[in-house]
């Protein structure tokens, strides 16, 4: 590149005192690859010149180079050099090693030495005839070498900057290395001093050049200049090499320190994991304590109710004893009257005998005086007897009157008791009628109300009569059920008096309900919880989409109402047909949209590309139905993301319209599924996306341009629940919350975990028609016969009836721990047991993997894999299995372990979610003995699972009496919905009371 001569040399004088008035432009080149020509060649060339030419050249030189001229050097070279340094320092990705710089410097040194040696030889050959051009060329070569030396210095500085950068990165991670970085800065200052030293050498070189200009014929001065410069360069190169070596060593030490710090960090992480485990155990103990307190409170309530009943019974017993005493008194008086009557009869007989004697005496006509006296005496006696008889008759009459009064009093008391009993029977609910009967009456009244056949007030009063199961309305319907609707309506309107309200009005809005529309546990919860709340005296109604793929045979009295509900969506109103029917004794409303998208005529419940639109549409129509039917529920309970839209729709749109009586309860059954979508799609159902797409409302925590329905339900609901206490703790963590942990923690006061229950009527080994033999906790011999039946059905060996049978009924998805299920097949066979798997996978590669395993064990006498779902076979496996494995990675609640214990199959489960709340290890001394019911393991690996499985096999094979007691204990555990429904009932009532208190204030 072309540069101006500036700071390659400091400003020096040549010979005289005058300086140049202009700057000289020269072009720098890299170091030539070839050496200078040999001295002999130079001498031959010089012989060709004449002495005259030499004289002319000498004169020319004297004119062009005055003795006192200073070489004015520009600062342009400095600026160019600085630019080159900055460019090389900024390109941190270039990897130029210090060794290459050292080699370059060495090459420069060797080149310079050879150049100077050639000059030396030339000067020795002709000491008196040095050509000025050769000398100028040598000086230019020296300048080029100095330029290369500057480039090498820049590369060295670049390497030093890279090392410094590495140190700064390490300093950001580990504060301990600050001292070493300070040492590096000190070394850099030393390098800057070296730079100053180089500049001094350049000054020295300039001085030597001035001396050369003053003495053109002095050969020794040139040699001294040529010899001194390489020495300085060599020293500089050596110092840079030593400094680079020290930096390498220091980098190695820094790497070792970093490794040690990483090991310490791993120890800290292990300590944190132990702390987390301890916190989880503490939370488990707290949840157990809370559960025990709730059970104690429930038992105390039961005791208070029992004491009230005992007091009432005691009062009735006292009344009966009083009546018995009166009856005994009357009976005694009657007995006395009867005895007096008997005496009178005897006296009458005596009188008759005396009369006969008198007649005989008169016949014989005894005329003697004695006979007359005797007759007089007899007459006196008769007179006395008549008087006594009269008094006896009077006493008998009084006794009879007293007895009649006692009987009348007894009859009056008995009539009063009958009237009180009859009145009480009229006031008490009619429990002998099935739930379907009352649901049918309720739907009939709702139909009349929506069709405007009765007024709003009459519908409300009739609804409450049905709600409290009033005997009068039951009798009225039974007396005219064969008549037409008009006569039934007329009969009902006679009972429109204001009754007392017995409970809460609860409406569930959900996407599933067992058995008509079920994909997972959500359907079981809606049906089971609804029935349990209905049995507690609450009015429960369900709102569902009318899918085309429902099990319509499970719906009773299904009919379409003569009413159409219009609802807003995508900027216009759409009509919706409303169907009613009863499912499992519960009144259900089915919404059938007339939207051209045919939202619920897809052949499946979920999995469509427009699920967000489908269920936001359904949520809005459900609330529109409640508004137009003029319902005033106390609780609206929505489930999972599909109906999470209900919460913001209720508060943002329908409360201003007048539907404002309810509190909102939201239950998330699995935080893995949140239904997020672009924020713009929220406007379809009428919600303001701009207003709600905020961090404190419905904005997804991981994407600012997306809406999260589950987050919106958490924010807008009055009650938020999930399906087990442990899962409620897990979702508050970063890993378990799936991005919603911060939202859940900020709303923790209204968040609770309630363990689900099971339908104990459907899952009952004493009445299960899918079993070969029914059995119960008091008689578990039926398990052996069902075990034999399953073996025959699947073609397994039956040679040893005591051989343990391990079952597994699950969906084969990663959440369920498929790697442990696969391992369980082989480990069970190694321990001498039999294994049966029932389930399938929606994940293709998992399904193929288990199909390969199933083919491998197709003809095995101790293992069988049935890769489908079979309802009848699942019942038989529960009954036949001695143990059932549930090795889930995470499990919000889980029903498998509850059903297994209901059928006497001992669970082997991982301690997570609802499994941790329902299965307690038999060897865990921290758990009360009466609660230990299975085998658990904490870590989701083969070692932890093996430990639990081997302990179960050991108890089964070596302690049969303990195992039998364990089976009977598990079968006696109450996993019904009653306890869970009581907890929901308590949450409902607290929310309603808070709302009523707020409205009064």
């Amino acid at each position: 590149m072309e540069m101006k001569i500036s700071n390659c040399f400091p400003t020096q004088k040549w010979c005289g005192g005058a300086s140049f008035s202009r700057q000289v432009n020269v072009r720098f080149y890299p170091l030539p690859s070839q050496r200078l020509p040999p001295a002999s060649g130079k001498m031959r060339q010089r012989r060709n010149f004449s002495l005259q030419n030499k004289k002319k050249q000498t004169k020319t030189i004297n004119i062009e180079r005055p003795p006192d001229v200073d070489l004015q050097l520009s600062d342009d070279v400095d600026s160019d050099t600085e630019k080159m340094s900055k460019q090389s320092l900024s390109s941190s990705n270039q990897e130029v090693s210090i060794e290459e710089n050292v080699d370059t410097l060495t090459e420069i040194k060797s080149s310079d030495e050879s150049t100077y040696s050639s000059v030396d030889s030339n000067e020795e050959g002709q000491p008196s005839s040095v050509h000025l051009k050769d000398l100028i060329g040598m000086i230019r070569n020296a300048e080029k070498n100095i330029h290369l030396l500057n480039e090498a210095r820049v590369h060295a500085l670049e390497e030093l900057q890279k090392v410094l950068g590495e140190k700064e990165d390490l300093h950001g991670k580990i504060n301990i290395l600050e001292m070493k970085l300070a040492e590096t800065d000190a070394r850099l200052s030393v390098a800057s001093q070296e730079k100053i030293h180089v500049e001094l050498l350049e000054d020295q070189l300039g001085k030597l050049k001035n001396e050369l200009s003053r003495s053109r014929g002095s050969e020794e001065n040139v040699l001294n200049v040529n010899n001194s410069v390489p020495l300085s360069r060599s020293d500089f190169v050596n110092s840079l090499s030593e400094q680079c070596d020290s930096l390498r060593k220091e980098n190695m030490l820094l790497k070792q320190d970093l490794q040690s710090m990483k090991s310490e960090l791993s120890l800290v992480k292990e300590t944190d994991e132990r702390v987390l485990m301890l916190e989880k155990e503490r939370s488990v103990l707290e949840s157990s304590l809370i559960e025990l307190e709730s059970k104690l409170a429930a038992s105390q309530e039961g005791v208070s109710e029992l004491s009230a009943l005992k007091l009432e019974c005691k009062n009735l017993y006292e009344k009966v004893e009083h009546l018995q005493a009166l009856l005994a008194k009357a009976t005694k008086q009657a007995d006395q009257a009867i005895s007096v009557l008997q005496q009178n009869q005897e006296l009458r007989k005596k009188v008759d005998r005396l009369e006969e004697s008198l007649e005989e005496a008169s016949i014989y006509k005894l005329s003697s005086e004695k006979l007359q006296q005797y007759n007089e005496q007899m007459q006196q006696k008769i007179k006395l007897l008549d008087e006594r008889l009269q008094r006896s008759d009077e006493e008998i009459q009084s006794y009879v009157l007293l007895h009649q009064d006692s009987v009348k009093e007894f009859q009056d008391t008995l009539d009063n008791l009958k009237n009180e009993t009859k009145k009480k029977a009229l006031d008490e609910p009619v429990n002998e009628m099935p739930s379907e009967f009352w649901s049918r009456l309720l739907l009939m009244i709702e139909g009349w109300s929506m069709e405007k056949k009765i007024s709003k007030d009459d519908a409300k009063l009739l609804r409450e009569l049905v709600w409290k199961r009033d005997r009068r309305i039951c009798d009225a319907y039974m007396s005219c059920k064969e008549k037409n609707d008009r006569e039934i309506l007329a009969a009902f309107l006679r009972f429109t008096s204001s009754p007392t309200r017995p409970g809460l009005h609860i409406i569930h809005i959900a996407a599933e309900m067992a058995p008509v529309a079920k994909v997972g546990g959500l359907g079981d919860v809606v049906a089971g919880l609804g029935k349990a709340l209905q049995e507690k005296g609450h009015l429960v109604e369900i709102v569902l989409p009318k899918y085309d793929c429902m099990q319509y045979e499970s719906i009773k009295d299904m009919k379409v109402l003569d009413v159409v509900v219009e609802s807003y969506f995508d900027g216009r109103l759409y009509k919706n047909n409303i169907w009613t029917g009863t499912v499992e004794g519960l009144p259900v409303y089915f919404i059938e949209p007339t939207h051209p998208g045919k939202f619920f005529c897809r052949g499946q419940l979920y999995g469509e590309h427009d699920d967000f639109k489908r269920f936001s549409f359904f949520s809005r129509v459900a609330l529109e139905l409640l508004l137009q039917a003029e319902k005033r529920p106390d609780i609206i309970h929505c489930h999972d993301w599909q109906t999470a839209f209900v919460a913001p729709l209720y508060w943002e749109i329908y409360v201003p319209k007048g539907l404002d009586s309810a509190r909102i309860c939201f239950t998330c059954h699995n935080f893995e599924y949140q239904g997020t979508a672009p924020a713009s799609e929220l406007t379809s159902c009428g919600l303001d996306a701009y207003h709600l797409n905020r961090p404190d409302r419905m904005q997804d925590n991981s994407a600012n341009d997306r809406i999260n329905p589950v987050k919106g339900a958490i924010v807008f609901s009055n009650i938020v629940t999930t399906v087990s206490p442990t899962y409620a703790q897990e979702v508050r963590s970063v890993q378990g919350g799936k991005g919603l942990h911060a939202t859940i923690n900020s709303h923790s006061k209204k968040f609770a975990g309630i363990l689900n229950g099971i339908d104990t009527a459907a899952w009952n080994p004493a009445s299960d028609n899918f079993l070969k033999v029914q059995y119960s906790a008091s008689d578990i011999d039926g398990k052996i016969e069902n075990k034999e039946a399953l073996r025959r059905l699947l073609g397994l060996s039956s040679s040893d009836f005591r051989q343990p049978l391990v079952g597994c009924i699950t969906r084969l998805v990663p959440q369920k721990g498929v790697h442990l299920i696969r391992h369980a097949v082989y480990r069970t066979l190694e321990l001498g047991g039999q294994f049966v798997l029932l389930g399938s996978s929606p994940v293709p590669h998992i399904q193929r993997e288990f199909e390969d395993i199933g083919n491998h064990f197709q003809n095995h006498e101790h293992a069988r894999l049935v890769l489908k779902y079979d309802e009848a076979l699942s019942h038989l496996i529960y009954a036949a299995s001695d143990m059932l494995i549930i090795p889930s990675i995470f499990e919000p609640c889980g029903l498998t372990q509850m059903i297994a214990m209901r059928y006497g199959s001992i669970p082997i489960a991982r301690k997570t979610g609802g499994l941790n709340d329902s299965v307690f290890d038999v060897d865990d001394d921290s758990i009360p003995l009466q609660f230990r019911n299975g085998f658990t393991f904490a870590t989701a690996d083969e070692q932890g699972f093996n430990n639990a499985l081997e302990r179960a096999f050991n108890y089964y094979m070596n302690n049969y009496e303990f195992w039998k007691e364990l089976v009977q204990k598990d079968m006696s555990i109450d996993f019904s919905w009653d306890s869970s429904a009581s907890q929901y009932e308590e949450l409902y009532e607290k929310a309603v009371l808070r709302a009523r208190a707020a409205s009064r204030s």
Side-chain angles (χ1 to χ4, degrees):
M1 68 181 170
E2 187 174 345
M3 302 177 62
K4 294 181 180 179
I5 300 175
S6 58
N7 69 340
C8 291
F9 301 96
T11 303
Q12 297 292 336
K13 294 183 178 179
W14 283 87
C15 295
S19 60
F20 287 106
S21 62
R22 61 183 178 87
Q23 296 175 345
V24 181
N25 290 335
V26 299
R27 186 179 296 275
F28 286 147
Y29 294 94
L31 186 67
S33 60
Q34 297 179 352
R35 305 298 184 189
L36 290 173
S40 59
K42 293 272 185 181
M43 292 170 67
R44 285 192 212 90
Q45 293 176 2
R46 292 191 183 98
R47 288 190 189 102
N48 294 328
F49 293 104
S50 63
L51 293 173
Q52 296 176 355
N53 291 334
K54 290 180 180 179
K55 291 178 181 179
K56 291 180 180 179
Q57 291 171 359
T58 304
K59 292 178 181 178
T60 304
I61 292 170
N62 291 333
I63 294 171
E64 293 176 354
R65 301 176 66 180
D68 296 329
V69 174
D70 290 337
L71 180 61
Q72 181 68 32
L73 299 175
S74 172
D75 292 333
D76 293 345
V77 176
D78 257 340
S79 61
D80 291 341
T81 306
E82 290 175 0
K83 290 178 181 178
M84 291 171 59
S85 301
K86 292 178 181 178
Q87 290 174 359
S88 60
L89 289 173
S90 64
S91 57
S92 60
N93 294 329
Q94 296 178 358
E95 298 180 356
V96 181
S97 64
I98 295 177
E99 289 84 351
E100 292 176 355
N101 293 333
V102 174
D103 293 339
T104 304
L105 293 173
T106 306
E107 183 180 353
I108 293 170
K109 178 181 177 182
S110 62
S111 174
D112 290 345
E113 288 175 352
S114 63
T115 302
Y116 293 127
S117 63
S118 65
V119 173
D120 292 342
S121 62
N122 187 13
E123 297 300 331
E124 288 173 3
Q126 283 186 344
S128 62
S129 60
V130 176
H131 199 280
L132 183 58
K133 288 184 178 180
D134 294 337
L135 183 59
I136 292 173
M138 291 164 54
I139 293 172
R140 287 179 177 175
N141 287 335
E143 291 175 351
K144 293 177 182 177
N145 291 337
I146 290 172
H147 173 66
L148 293 175
L149 183 61
N150 286 335
E151 289 182 350
R153 178 173 60 82
V154 170
H155 288 304
L157 289 175
E158 179 183 358
E159 291 300 323
L160 290 176
Q161 289 295 334
K162 288 182 181 178
V163 172
L164 182 60
E166 292 177 1
K167 286 185 177 181
E168 289 176 350
D169 291 337
L170 293 174
H171 177 75
K173 297 178 181 177
I174 308 169
N175 294 327
I176 277 178
L177 301 179
E178 290 179 354
M179 295 297 296
K180 294 187 179 180
L181 287 175
E183 294 177 4
T184 304
D185 293 336
R187 295 196 177 200
L188 287 175
S189 65
V190 172
S192 64
Q193 292 176 1
E194 290 293 333
K195 177 181 177 182
I196 295 171
H197 180 66
V198 171
E199 292 177 353
L200 292 175
L201 289 176
E202 291 175 350
D203 292 340
Q204 186 179 1
L205 183 61
K207 291 178 181 180
L208 290 174
K209 287 182 179 180
N210 291 333
E211 291 176 2
L212 284 173
S213 65
R214 288 194 298 268
S215 57
R216 292 173 293 174
S218 177
E219 302 292 336
E220 294 178 357
N221 291 335
V222 175
L223 290 174
N224 290 334
V225 172
N226 292 334
N227 289 331
S228 62
V229 173
L231 284 174
S232 300
R233 291 174 182 160
S234 177
D235 293 339
F236 178 68
V237 169
N238 291 334
S239 66
L240 286 178
S241 300
E242 292 174 358
Q243 188 173 0
C244 292
D245 292 337
S246 66
L247 290 175
R248 289 194 197 96
K249 292 179 181 179
E250 188 173 356
N251 284 338
M252 292 300 294
L253 293 174
L254 291 176
K255 289 181 180 178
Q256 292 176 0
D257 292 340
L258 183 60
Q259 291 295 329
S260 63
M261 293 299 293
K262 285 183 178 178
S263 62
E264 293 178 2
L265 183 60
S266 64
L267 292 175
V268 171
K269 288 182 178 179
E270 291 177 358
T271 305
D272 291 340
E273 290 176 357
R274 294 193 189 100
V275 171
L276 287 174
M277 290 180 63
L278 291 174
E279 289 180 353
K280 287 183 179 179
E281 292 180 0
R282 179 180 62 79
S283 63
V284 170
L285 292 175
E286 289 178 353
S287 61
S288 301
L289 180 60
I290 293 171
E291 184 178 359
L292 290 174
E293 289 176 352
S294 63
K295 290 184 178 178
L296 178 60
S299 63
Q300 289 176 351
E301 292 177 359
V303 169
S304 62
E305 292 176 359
L306 184 61
S307 61
L309 291 174
K310 285 182 178 180
L311 181 61
E312 186 177 355
C313 290
K314 184 178 178 181
N315 293 332
L316 290 174
Y317 279 129
E318 289 177 355
K319 290 182 180 180
V320 172
E321 288 175 356
H322 177 66
L323 291 175
Q324 288 177 348
L326 292 176
L327 182 61
K329 183 178 179 181
T331 304
K332 184 177 180 181
Q333 292 174 350
D335 292 338
Q336 292 178 355
I338 291 171
S339 63
V340 171
L341 286 173
Q342 291 176 353
Q343 292 177 1
N344 289 338
Q345 288 176 358
E346 292 178 356
L347 289 174
R348 287 184 181 279
K349 289 178 181 179
K350 290 180 180 181
V351 169
D352 292 337
R353 285 196 296 270
L354 288 173
E355 288 177 351
E356 290 176 358
S357 301
L358 288 173
E359 289 177 356
E360 291 177 357
S362 61
I363 293 172
Y364 290 110
K365 297 179 180 179
L366 297 175
S367 58
S368 61
E369 188 176 321
K370 291 181 178 180
L371 184 60
Q372 289 178 355
Q373 292 177 352
Y374 178 74
N375 288 333
E376 290 176 357
Q377 292 177 355
M378 289 301 296
Q379 287 176 359
Q380 291 177 356
K381 289 181 179 181
I382 290 170
K383 186 178 180 180
L384 292 173
L385 289 173
D386 289 337
E387 292 176 356
R388 187 178 295 176
L389 181 62
Q390 186 177 358
R391 288 196 300 271
S392 298
D393 290 339
E394 291 176 354
E395 290 178 358
I396 290 171
Q397 188 67 26
S398 63
Y399 282 135
V400 170
L401 292 174
L402 182 61
H403 176 69
Q404 290 177 350
D405 292 339
S406 299
V407 171
K408 185 178 180 182
E409 182 182 358
F410 177 76
Q411 188 65 37
D412 292 340
T413 305
L414 186 61
D415 292 339
N416 291 333
L417 286 175
K418 287 181 179 180
N419 292 331
E420 289 178 2
T421 304
K422 186 176 180 180
K423 184 178 180 181
K424 189 174 181 180
L426 288 173
D427 293 336
E428 288 182 351
V430 183
N431 293 320
E432 64 267 15
M433 300 303 291
S435 299
E436 290 85 354
F437 172 79
W438 300 106
S439 298
R440 190 183 309 117
L441 292 185
L442 183 64
L443 292 174
M444 185 185 300
I445 294 168
E446 294 297 341
W448 292 338
S449 175
M450 296 184 70
E451 293 168 356
K452 307 301 181 183
K453 293 181 179 179
I454 58 177
S455 67
K456 174 184 174 182
D457 295 334
D458 289 343
K460 181 179 179 181
L461 294 174
L462 291 174
R463 189 185 301 121
E464 291 181 352
L465 286 174
V466 174
W467 187 349
K468 63 180 292 188
R469 300 190 176 188
D470 191 278
R471 182 178 296 276
R472 293 172 298 166
I473 200 167
C474 173
D475 294 340
Y477 177 75
M478 296 301 293
S479 63
C480 59
K481 65 179 180 179
E482 302 297 333
K483 300 178 182 179
N484 57 36
D485 285 351
R486 181 177 298 177
E487 293 177 347
I488 297 175
L489 177 58
F492 277 17
L493 289 177
R494 290 196 296 267
F495 303 107
T496 54
S497 59
S498 179
T500 58
R501 183 163 173 155
L504 299 173
H505 185 185
I506 304 162
I507 296 178
H508 288 268
I509 301 176
E512 296 182 35
M513 179 185 182
V516 293
K518 176 185 173 183
V519 173
L522 169 60
D524 294 313
V525 171
V526 173
L529 178 59
K531 288 192 292 184
L533 291 170
Q534 187 185 62
E535 291 173 359
K536 289 181 176 293
H538 302 289
L539 174 59
V540 181
E541 297 177 292
I542 316 293
V543 182
L544 291 177
K546 186 178 180 293
Y547 300 103
D548 60 343
C549 54
M550 289 193 304
Q551 296 184 15
Y552 286 92
E553 64 275 9
S554 300
I555 306 172
K556 296 182 180 179
D557 303 320
M558 188 173 186
K559 65 177 183 178
V560 63
L561 298 180
D562 186 16
V563 64
V564 173
V565 174
E566 289 188 335
S567 178
Y568 173 89
F569 200 76
D570 279 337
R572 55 165 294 187
L573 294 176
Y574 290 94
K575 294 182 179 180
N576 301 271
N577 297 323
I578 307 300
W579 295 70
T580 61
T582 59
V583 178
E584 299 287 317
L586 293 168
V588 183
Y589 298 88
F590 300 95
I591 295 175
E592 182 185 26
T594 59
H595 192 281
K598 297 187 181 298
F599 284 152
F600 303 112
C601 297
R602 308 285 183 87
Q604 61 181 1
L605 273 63
Y606 310 132
E608 298 294 324
H609 69 282
D610 57 348
D611 277 355
F612 190 93
K613 282 186 174 292
R614 295 169 67 217
F615 290 103
S616 61
F617 178 91
F618 165 70
S619 298
R620 171 134 193 181
V621 179
L623 291 174
E624 192 69 33
L625 170 64
L626 304 187
L627 177 67
Q628 295 188 22
E630 298 180 341
K631 291 182 178 292
R632 304 287 294 172
D634 297 300
I635 297 291
I636 297 177
H637 195 151
C638 48
H639 301 262
D640 276 348
W641 78 263
Q642 287 85 3
T643 57
F645 306 97
V646 168
L649 282 169
Y650 177 79
W651 292 109
E652 293 289 313
I653 296 176
Y654 284 92
V655 166
K657 290 185 176 183
L659 181 63
D660 56 358
S661 63
R663 302 291 92 179
I664 303 297
C665 178
F666 172 68
T667 298
C668 184
H669 300 257
N670 193 336
F671 281 90
E672 187 81 13
Y673 309 104
Q674 299 178 13
T676 62
S680 58
E681 292 195 18
L682 193 64
T683 58
S684 295
C685 64
L687 289 171
D688 186 351
Y690 178 79
H691 176 65
L692 296 176
N693 187 26
R694 288 166 41 180
D696 61 337
R697 297 192 180 178
M698 294 186 70
Q699 185 181 88
D700 187 58
N701 291 339
S702 59
N704 295 339
D705 59 343
R706 295 183 72 82
I707 286 291
N708 190 323
V710 174
K711 179 181 177 180
I714 294 172
V715 171
F716 282 93
S717 295
N718 304 102
I719 307 167
V720 181
T721 67
T722 190
V723 291
S724 69
T726 297
Y727 188 57
Q729 295 295 325
E730 291 174 350
V731 297
R732 295 185 183 184
S733 65
V734 176
Q735 182 178 2
K738 306 299 180 184
L740 288 177
H741 57 282
T743 305
I744 295 170
N745 288 325
S746 64
H747 294 272
S748 59
K749 290 185 179 180
K750 61 182 179 182
F751 183 62
I754 299 176
L755 190 68
N756 286 342
I758 60 173
D759 189 344
T760 53
W763 298 101
N764 184 5
S767 59
D768 195 335
N769 294 325
F770 291 116
L771 306 185
K772 178 178 176 57
V773 177
Q774 285 79 32
Y775 61 97
S776 63
S778 59
D779 181 15
I780 63 173
D781 293 337
K783 278 189 69 69
I784 299 176
E785 297 186 42
N786 286 300
K787 186 175 181 180
E788 182 64 26
L790 179 65
R791 285 172 167 172
R792 285 196 303 270
L793 178 65
L794 300 180
L796 299 176
S797 172
S798 302
S799 58
D800 183 8
F801 77 95
R802 282 281 297 149
Q803 185 177 12
L805 176 62
V806 179
C808 181
I809 302 173
T810 185
R811 289 184 301 117
L812 296 172
V813 293
Q815 170 195 342
K816 302 297 183 180
V818 289
H819 66 291
L820 294 178
I821 296 173
R822 179 178 59 246
H823 170 74
V825 178
Y826 298 95
R827 186 57 184 158
T828 300
L829 298 179
E830 291 173 0
L831 293 174
Q834 293 181 319
F835 191 91
V836 174
L837 168 67
L838 175 64
S840 60
S841 177
V843 185
H845 73 88
I846 296 178
Q847 182 72 14
R848 287 194 299 270
E849 179 183 4
F850 277 86
E851 286 174 353
D852 294 338
I853 298 173
N855 293 333
H856 176 71
F857 290 106
Q858 186 173 3
N859 298 317
H860 200 282
E861 61 180 352
H862 297 306
R864 195 71 69 241
L865 277 69
V866 183
L867 300 178
K868 62 178 182 179
Y869 183 73
D870 187 325
E871 180 73 15
L873 183 58
S874 68
H875 285 248
L876 187 57
I877 292 175
Y878 280 123
S881 298
D882 298 299
M883 312 159 199
L884 197 129
I885 64 168
I886 314 103
S888 300
I889 304 302
F890 73 93
E891 190 66 65
C893 176
L895 303 179
T896 303
Q897 75 278 11
M898 302 181 193
I899 299 172
M901 287 186 275
R902 176 81 168 159
Y903 281 72
S905 182
I906 306 303
I908 301 174
R910 182 171 173 267
K911 297 178 68 174
T912 180
L915 299 175
N916 189 53
D917 296 320
S918 54
V919 182
F920 306 100
D921 199 287
V922 298
D923 293 326
D924 189 352
D925 295 334
S926 65
I927 302 296
L929 189 62
Q930 65 270 23
F931 296 121
R932 303 180 199 175
N933 55 8
F935 298 88
T936 63
F937 60 99
T939 57
D941 54 25
E942 295 179 0
Q943 182 178 359
F945 175 79
N946 287 346
N947 176 266
L949 183 65
E950 290 165 6
R951 287 188 293 116
F953 266 68
N954 181 52
Y955 276 108
Y956 181 85
M957 301 298 293
N958 301 321
N959 197 342
Y960 179 73
E961 289 301 322
F962 171 83
W963 190 269
K964 183 177 179 181
E965 293 176 0
L966 182 62
V967 170
Q968 291 175 329
K969 180 201 293 185
D970 283 8
M971 293 184 67
S972 302
I973 298 174
D974 181 14
F975 285 113
S976 68
W977 269 103
D978 184 67
S979 175
S980 302
S982 297
Q983 296 180 59
Y984 275 106
E985 183 180 37
E986 182 179 358
L987 291 178
Y988 293 161
E989 290 174 348
K990 287 181 179 178
V992 171
L993 288 175
R994 284 195 297 268
R996 291 175 182 171
S999 63
R1000 286 194 297 269
S1001 62

